[in-house]
Structures are given as C-alpha cells and as structure tokens.
Amino acid sequence: MINMKNIKEYNLEDLKEELISLGEKKYRAEQIFKWLYVDKVKEFDEMTNLSLELREKLKKEYTMCNFKILKKQESADGTKKYLFDVLDGNAIETVLMQYHHGKTICVSSQIGCKMGCKFCASTGIQFVRSLTSGEIVEQILAVEQDIGDKISNIVFMGIGEPFDNYDNVMQAIKIINNQKGLNIGARHISISTSGLVPMIYKFADEELQCTLSISLHATTDEKRSSMMPINNRYNIKELMESCKYYISKTNKRISFEYALAKDNNDNLDDAKQLVKLLKGMLCHVNLIPINKIENGKYTKSSNENIIRFRDYLNENGIVATIRRELGSDIDAACGQLRRKNLNKK
Ligand code: SAH
C-alpha cells in the first residue's frame, strides 16, 4: 500500500500520460475518470469497460484511496460533520452544509495547521502533514457517495492553510473542476487564506475563476498580530498590496472574513478603520460571529454589535453580510474543527 500511487492524484491530462506510459491508449484515462468521478465506483474491478489485464495492472500499482467514515455527526440544521480515516493512521474532518442554493462541502487541506491563529480550534494541535491532492478530492467523493447526491460548492475552509499546501490544492482544483469528472465550476470553489502574501500573488497569476477569501479579522498590525501570528511575517500593508494585485489581475471581488470578538475588534472605531482600509476595493466583507473555543479568550460579540458593525459598513460603501452559523451544535461551525481523537497510531 505504502508505495502505491493514488489514482485520485491525477488530473485528466496527467492520467492520459500515465496510461500512455503503461502502454495503453489515452482514451482509457477518460473512461477511468468517468468511473471515478461520475459513477463513483470504489473498486477497479467495477470498471467493466477496461480489459481484465488493465484492471489487474491498475490494482497492482494504484490505490483508490477510499476513505472510511470513522464518525458522522448530524446537526439539527442538517449540517453533517465527517471524521475520515485517511488510511495512514491519521484522520481529518470534512463538513457538509445544506443551503437553499445547494450543498457545500468545507474541505480540510492539511492534517493540523501551522498558522496558530489564537481564536481557531486547530491551534495547539500538532501539525502532521499536508494532504495530497487525491486526499482533498476524496473528501468530496466520500461525502457524495455517502449522501447519494451532488455537491454544488466547495470551500477550502476546513483544517489547514490551503496556501501552505499550494500545489496540491491547485491540483485538486483541476480534478474537481474537470467537466468530465466532478464538474464543479471554479466559480463554485472558494479558497480562504490567513494571508500568505507570496501565494496570493501566485494565485492571482493563475487567473482562475475561484473566489479568494482573506481572513483579515483586524485593521491594525498590533491587533492582527495578537490574533494571527502570520501578521508578523506579512503585515496588513503587504497583505493589502497583494489583494490589490489580485483584483487588478483577475477583476474578481475578494471576500474579507472578519470574525467579531467581543471588546476586541467589534466597536465602531474598528468598523471605521475597516472602511478606510477597504474603501474603493472590489470586495465584500463576511462578518463571522466568533465561535468561542475551549480555553479561548475571545467570545462572541452581541447581536446588537454585530448588526451595528454590519450596518456601519453598508452605510459607508462596503458591502457586508453576516455569515449564518451552521452546525454549531456539533462543533462544525467556523473554526471549530479540531483533530479530536484523530491519531489512531
Ligand atoms: N487557514 C485558512 C482557512 C481555514 S479557517 C484561513 O485562515 O483562512 C476558515 C475561516 O474560519 C477563516 O476565516 C478563519 O479565520 C475562521 N475562523 C477560525 N476560527 C474561528 C472561530 N473560532 N470563529 C469564527 N471564525 C473562525
């Protein structure tokens, strides 16, 4: 198993090359892609239009990386949280959210996270490794298989920093995006970053149609650094410059996430500063009532403050909405995912 290649790490073009290197015709790649992502089979033996010989070859050299569901929790609002066995002794969390406009999956990009944001439940748990592209894709497949339905949107907002696993995340997007596979359009994929500035420039140059979300959460370096250590590496000025570059390159709106914590970043002065910072930018602000984590110092702002904050932004030319919290009763809301009992080794 250890030395086998994961068939779900290949985008369609790579799979064609791979099949050619196995002495096969490249149209076989499209057949395999369809079995994997349209028919969603779990065994090579189910790929009945491939020769027996090819199936045997595939079985010997490749794994299908079928995750096992270790645990599934369902919230009163229909949100489902999955704990998947990633087959090497580790486990990851994936969340399914049901909105009126369709089903959204919040995927993890790493096992653990190195960013250390003070308000996030992933902090304080050891970083293990980044997920492979196949493991990112498999989260979507495994949920679709479980619910017997199609997913319409993907958000990279689970555990991990997607831009700290840049290449695998980009490869996963190519696979997810392919019309002959899962066929989830780039416009339906959002990537959220804590602000790895060099990667924001790189992502801008990809000119993808995905939505970019920036976890901003504060408007001064002092406050942002106290909440997010990454700000010591790339400060707000550098972050904003990279965002402006992204907008000029892609002509796409950025979504700034701002988690409101009581008496920390939720008063009108903060709102004023935010207007100053974002004035004239093609953007949207997503206000998240902060979820208190175990032993965390930040607590949720009052509804009154959250609404006052939103209204101030809207009245001053910044489009802002309050994110509806889903799955909080099963620890599946924003920033609540953590690797509980995740190491089986
Ligand atoms: N590492 C990426 C993506 C994962 S977090 C990032 O930082 O953007 C997804 C979103 O949830 C981020 O905006 C993050 O700041 C926010 N978040 C984390 N913990 C939270 C909490 N306790 N309450 C509310 N939002 C939180």
Side-chain angles (χ1 to χ4, degrees):
M1 189 78 171
I2 291 300
N3 295 319
M4 285 168 97
K5 298 181 254 182
N6 176 357
I7 196 84
K8 291 171 186 160
E9 267 164 41
Y10 295 85
N11 66 42
L12 186 55
E13 288 316 305
D14 296 342
L15 198 56
K16 285 181 185 166
E17 297 290 315
E18 192 73 4
L19 267 291
I20 290 167
S21 77
L22 292 177
E24 296 283 335
K25 294 266 177 346
K26 65 178 180 190
Y27 74 90
R28 293 285 181 207
E30 293 200 359
Q31 292 179 321
I32 296 172
F33 221 67
K34 181 168 179 293
W35 283 118
L36 290 173
Y37 302 115
V38 180
D39 304 309
K40 303 186 185 94
V41 300
K42 290 189 173 184
E43 304 290 339
F44 287 114
D45 278 333
E46 292 177 74
M47 302 182 176
T48 46
N49 57 0
L50 306 182
S51 69
L52 234 119
E53 190 197 344
L54 176 56
R55 278 186 254 160
E56 287 307 315
K57 223 190 282 181
L58 293 172
K59 270 174 8 193
K60 235 191 260 154
E61 291 193 29
Y62 304 88
T63 146
M64 300 248 309
C65 174
N66 297 314
F67 286 171
K68 277 202 262 333
I69 300 175
L70 292 173
K71 201 167 154 191
K72 186 166 74 173
Q73 283 171 278
E74 189 160 353
S75 156
D77 61 28
T79 301
K80 290 192 175 99
K81 183 168 79 168
Y82 293 86
L83 182 67
F84 289 121
D85 178 351
V86 300
L87 315 172
D88 70 346
N90 289 297
I92 50 162
E93 286 179 321
T94 307
V95 177
L96 167 72
M97 293 163 291
Q98 331 238 15
Y99 291 102
H100 301 301
H101 59 268
K103 294 184 164 61
T104 296
I105 293 188
C106 179
V107 292
S108 292
S109 55
Q110 297 181 310
I111 304 177
C113 185
K114 293 185 220 155
M115 298 300 122
C117 299
K118 297 285 190 289
F119 47 84
C120 179
S122 306
T123 295
I125 45 178
Q126 199 203 342
F127 174 80
V128 179
R129 65 173 173 86
S130 284
L131 293 176
T132 65
S133 55
E135 290 168 330
I136 295 170
V137 170
E138 175 61 13
Q139 294 174 61
I140 302 158
L141 264 180
V143 174
E144 286 196 346
Q145 280 160 343
D146 183 58
I147 61 170
D149 200 0
K150 275 277 304 155
I151 300 302
S152 48
N153 294 277
I154 307 291
V155 294
F156 280 84
M157 292 191 186
I159 295 173
E161 166 49 53
F163 281 179
D164 187 36
N165 185 20
Y166 188 87
D167 292 343
N168 291 345
V169 167
M170 290 306 128
Q171 173 74 343
I173 288 174
K174 278 191 193 150
I175 300 168
I176 296 166
N177 205 212
N178 196 295
Q179 290 182 349
K180 297 199 163 123
L182 285 167
N183 192 20
I184 300 174
R187 281 193 173 78
H188 298 272
I189 302 173
S190 293
I191 303 185
S192 179
T193 178
S194 56
L196 265 65
V197 165
M199 295 301 145
I200 296 173
Y201 283 104
K202 200 167 173 189
F203 186 64
D205 290 337
E206 311 265 359
E207 298 190 49
L208 287 174
Q209 290 301 315
C210 303
T211 300
L212 177 64
S213 294
I214 303 284
S215 297
L216 184 60
H217 305 318
T219 53
T220 63
D221 281 323
E222 195 187 352
K223 200 172 285 177
R224 192 165 189 269
S225 296
S226 73
M227 300 172 78
M228 308 176 69
I230 185 73
N231 196 69
N232 292 311
R233 223 180 334 149
Y234 308 109
N235 64 23
I236 294 180
K237 186 167 177 282
E238 292 166 296
L239 179 60
M240 286 302 138
E241 276 164 14
S242 70
C243 290
K244 285 177 185 153
Y245 177 79
Y246 172 86
I247 294 168
S248 70
K249 196 76 204 267
T250 63
N251 207 21
K252 283 193 63 78
R253 170 189 303 257
I254 287 186
S255 177
F256 286 100
E257 286 155 293
Y258 194 100
L260 288 157
K262 191 171 166 221
D263 299 330
N264 173 58
N265 60 354
D266 68 340
N267 68 36
L268 272 188
D269 278 345
D270 296 298
K272 271 183 204 158
Q273 298 256 33
L274 192 55
V275 169
K276 246 201 211 151
L277 193 66
L278 302 182
K279 199 92 200 169
M281 272 174 94
L282 186 59
C283 71
H284 166 263
V285 174
N286 213 336
L287 298 169
I288 316 170
I290 211 160
N291 281 299
K292 189 179 182 322
I293 55 163
E294 223 175 279
N295 302 322
K297 71 168 183 173
Y298 300 109
T299 52
K300 206 171 267 188
S301 301
S302 64
N303 284 346
E304 215 180 8
N305 271 13
I306 295 172
I307 289 167
R308 194 177 58 165
F309 202 98
R310 179 201 59 194
D311 290 349
Y312 184 87
L313 295 181
N314 284 329
E315 281 155 18
N316 287 279
I318 305 287
V319 181
T321 48
I322 301 168
R323 180 179 293 168
R324 196 157 62 94
E325 286 297 288
L326 291 177
S328 49
D329 52 339
I330 54 167
D331 280 356
C334 259
Q336 283 186 311
L337 300 187
R338 58 175 296 137
R339 301 185 321 111
K340 243 185 236 166
N341 322 310
L342 302 191
N343 205 311
K344 304 190 285 109
K345 270 182 225 168

